[in-house]
Amino acid sequence: MKLGIALMLAFVLLLGGCGTGIGKSPEAPQEKAPGSNLPNETTDSSASWVTDRMINFRNNVYVGSEERVETVDGKLGEIKHYLTQEMLDQPDASSNYYKEGIALYQITGVPVESGIAVETKPGQYVKAVPVEGILGD
């Protein structure tokens, strides 16, 4: 009898640890690093996507990287929509990681179809590559 009660209690405790998080209050936003429009942590939205740092721009889907870009040409545009939920039809110039206002540039000597530069801080850029290049399509 005692073993049955102990097993039932253990089972209830295990199930209690598997909560869905529904009804949790949202956390207060954290301060951003000085001079940066990038988030400090992974959000629920970017954690559930196939990839974080996604950019939908001019009918192409890019993935931001940590690879630094030294020289850029003209500005192509900027992020206009910060997405917090996955959508079937994502608006142009949107991202699940980069905030509104982040500028996108042409990389010197690189066609837009092969990659773009994302300005993470004034004068500092990282490369975003097409998702097809990552997946091998």
Side-chain angles (χ1 to χ4, degrees):
M1 181 69 173
K2 287 184 181 180
L3 180 61
I5 293 173
L7 286 173
M8 190 179 302
L9 180 60
F11 183 73
V12 169
L13 288 174
L14 273 172
L15 286 179
C18 298
T20 63
I22 295 174
K24 288 184 180 178
S25 62
E27 296 180 21
Q30 294 184 353
E31 293 293 317
K32 292 187 279 188
S36 173
N37 286 334
L38 301 179
N40 287 335
E41 62 185 40
T42 301
T43 64
D44 286 338
S45 66
S46 61
S48 68
W49 296 54
V50 174
T51 180
D52 64 349
R53 300 185 189 198
M54 182 279 313
I55 300 168
N56 184 14
F57 187 68
R58 294 186 182 170
N59 298 317
N60 289 306
V61 177
Y62 297 90
V63 178
S65 70
E66 295 294 323
E67 182 182 342
R68 298 247 181 240
V69 173
E70 298 301 322
T71 58
V72 296
D73 290 335
K75 183 177 177 180
L76 298 170
E78 63 184 43
I79 301 298
K80 294 184 188 220
H81 306 279
Y82 174 67
L83 304 178
T84 58
Q85 295 180 352
E86 290 185 77
M87 308 166 97
L88 190 56
D89 292 318
Q90 299 166 358
D92 190 47
S94 63
S95 177
N96 67 337
Y97 181 79
Y98 300 104
K99 301 285 186 173
E100 287 118 353
I102 295 279
L104 306 173
Y105 289 85
Q106 169 114 27
I107 302 171
T108 303
V110 176
V112 173
E113 299 79 25
S114 298
I116 58 175
V118 180
E119 187 172 38
T120 56
K121 291 183 181 177
Q124 292 184 3
Y125 310 92
V126 294
K127 186 175 186 178
V129 295
V131 72
E132 291 85 12
I134 294 172
L135 299 176
D137 292 339

